[in-house]
Amino acid sequence: IIHRMVLCLDAGLLEYLPHALPLLIAHMACSDVDNEAQRDSEAMVQLVNQLIIKYEERLFPVLEPHLMQLLQRFIELMPKQPAGPGSTVPPHVGAVVLGLQRHYFLVVQHVVAHKLSHILLSAQQRPHLEQVLHTVLSGIIEIDDPVSRKTCLSVMVFLVKSWVPDGPKAGLDANAHGAFVGFVMEKVVPGALRSVLAPGFRVKDAGSLRVAVEISTLLHALSSTLGPPFVQALVGEILPALEFPADLGQQLGVALSGPPLSEVQKVLRSCIQQVHQR
C-alpha cells in the first residue's frame, strides 16, 4: 500500500513517514530463513529505495535517524553459519545471507547516489561510518558475488566524487578527509584490483566484466579528483605490491592521465585479460 501512496500522495506522504518508517523496520519478520522474512526484507528495500529516489534530500530528516537501524536489521536477520574446520554452509542458508547482504549494499548505494551521502556524516550516524565503510569494503574483497561487488564499488565511486574534491563542503574536516582518502588508497583500490587479478576471477563472465568496468570508474574518479599524485602512487606503489606487470601498469597510468573514461575501461580490461593469460 505504501508503495502506491508514494505515487498518489507525493510530498504529502513525507509527514507520515517519521511515524511509519521505524514501525516498518521494527516489525520486519524475525525469522532468519523463512520466506516471510525474505519477502519482508525485499519489500522494505524496495520501499526505502523508492522513497530515496522520489524525495532525495527531502528524505534526510526521515531517514537519518533510522538508517543504521535498517542496516543493522539486515545483519540481525542473517542466519548463523556453521563455523570450524570442514564445516559447510547449506545452499539455502548461503542464499539467504547473500540476499540480505545485497539488500544492505543496495540501500547504502541509493543513499550515496541520491544526494543523501551527508547522512553518513551526521552527528547520529557518524559513529557508525567506519563500520559501514568496512562492510562495503568486505563486499568488494570478500564476497564472491559480482552483483555485490559492483554495488559496493559504485558506493565508493559516489563517495569519492562527493567527498574527495571538497571535504569541508561535504562535511569532512581535514583529518576525516585524509582518513577517507587513505582508506580508499590503502584498502579499497588494492582490494578491488586484487579481486580481479585473483586466479578464480572469471574473465569472460558478464558479471565479472561489469565489476572491472566499475573499478575503471573508481580509478578514473580518483585520477580526476586527486590528479597526478594518485596515478603516480597507483603505478609506483599499489600495482607493484600486487605483482602487476610493470609494462601493463604503465599502460594503465597513461590511460588514467587522459580524460576519456572509455579508454581506462578498455585498457584495464585488456590488462586483466593479459594477466590471466600469462
Side-chain angles (χ1 to χ4, degrees):
I1 294 176
I2 297 181
H3 291 277
R4 297 190 181 99
M5 291 174 67
V6 175
L7 299 175
C8 297
L9 295 180
D10 195 22
L13 181 62
L14 280 171
E15 64 179 287
Y16 300 102
L17 290 176
H19 306 287
L21 191 60
L23 290 174
L24 290 170
I25 295 172
H27 288 85
M28 286 171 64
C30 296
S31 179
D32 52 15
V33 294
D34 63 16
N35 291 331
E36 183 183 356
Q38 295 179 58
R39 286 195 300 269
D40 272 9
S41 61
E42 186 171 344
M44 192 68 197
V45 169
Q46 291 175 353
L47 173 61
V48 170
N49 289 345
Q50 182 185 11
L51 293 171
I52 291 172
I53 293 170
K54 179 70 175 179
Y55 299 119
E56 293 191 319
E57 291 174 300
R58 290 181 292 169
L59 196 66
F60 180 95
V62 176
L63 186 60
E64 191 266 344
H66 307 294
L67 177 61
M68 280 309 302
Q69 180 188 3
L70 175 60
L71 297 179
Q72 188 61 36
R73 194 77 182 101
F74 294 138
I75 295 175
E76 292 171 355
L77 285 171
M78 291 181 188
K80 294 180 180 179
Q81 303 181 58
S87 59
T88 58
V89 179
H92 70 285
V93 173
V96 171
V97 171
L98 180 59
L100 289 167
Q101 288 170 330
R102 286 181 175 182
H103 290 164
Y104 183 110
F105 300 141
L106 197 58
V107 168
V108 176
Q109 195 265 351
H110 275 69
V111 167
V112 301
H114 292 278
K115 304 176 183 179
L116 287 167
S117 61
H118 51 301
I119 283 183
L120 300 174
L121 300 176
S122 71
Q124 186 169 350
Q125 301 301 333
R126 190 154 185 165
H128 307 288
L129 176 59
E130 185 175 355
Q131 174 191 340
V132 172
L133 291 177
H134 277 89
T135 302
V136 172
L137 176 64
S138 74
I140 297 172
I141 65 177
E142 296 178 8
I143 300 176
D144 187 16
D145 171 47
V147 174
S148 296
R149 281 183 177 168
K150 183 181 182 301
T151 304
C152 292
L153 285 163
S154 175
V155 169
M156 289 300 172
V157 169
F158 280 112
L159 289 181
V160 164
K161 290 180 178 180
S162 298
W163 292 356
V164 173
D166 190 350
K169 185 177 179 181
L172 290 170
D173 57 34
N175 290 336
H177 182 267
F180 176 69
V181 172
F183 173 76
V184 175
M185 293 285 289
E186 296 168 15
K187 302 292 186 180
V188 177
V189 172
L193 290 169
R194 189 178 292 111
S195 73
V196 297
L197 298 176
F201 183 75
R202 298 174 288 276
V203 179
K204 296 183 180 180
D205 176 73
S208 297
L209 290 177
R210 285 192 284 272
V211 170
V213 168
E214 206 65 44
I215 292 175
S216 303
T217 307
L218 175 64
L219 297 179
H220 185 266
L222 286 165
S223 178
S224 300
T225 53
L226 297 177
F230 166 72
V231 179
Q232 293 168 5
L234 178 69
V235 175
E237 300 173 23
I238 297 174
L239 292 177
L242 298 172
E243 299 182 354
F244 196 84
D247 57 327
L248 300 182
Q250 291 296 328
Q251 292 178 31
L252 185 57
V254 170
L256 284 167
S257 300
L261 171 59
S262 58
E263 183 65 17
V264 179
Q265 294 172 344
K266 176 183 175 182
V267 171
L268 181 61
R269 184 167 60 249
S270 174
C271 288
I272 293 171
Q273 291 172 343
Q274 290 184 62
V275 167
H276 284 279
Q277 290 170 357
R278 293 188 179 187

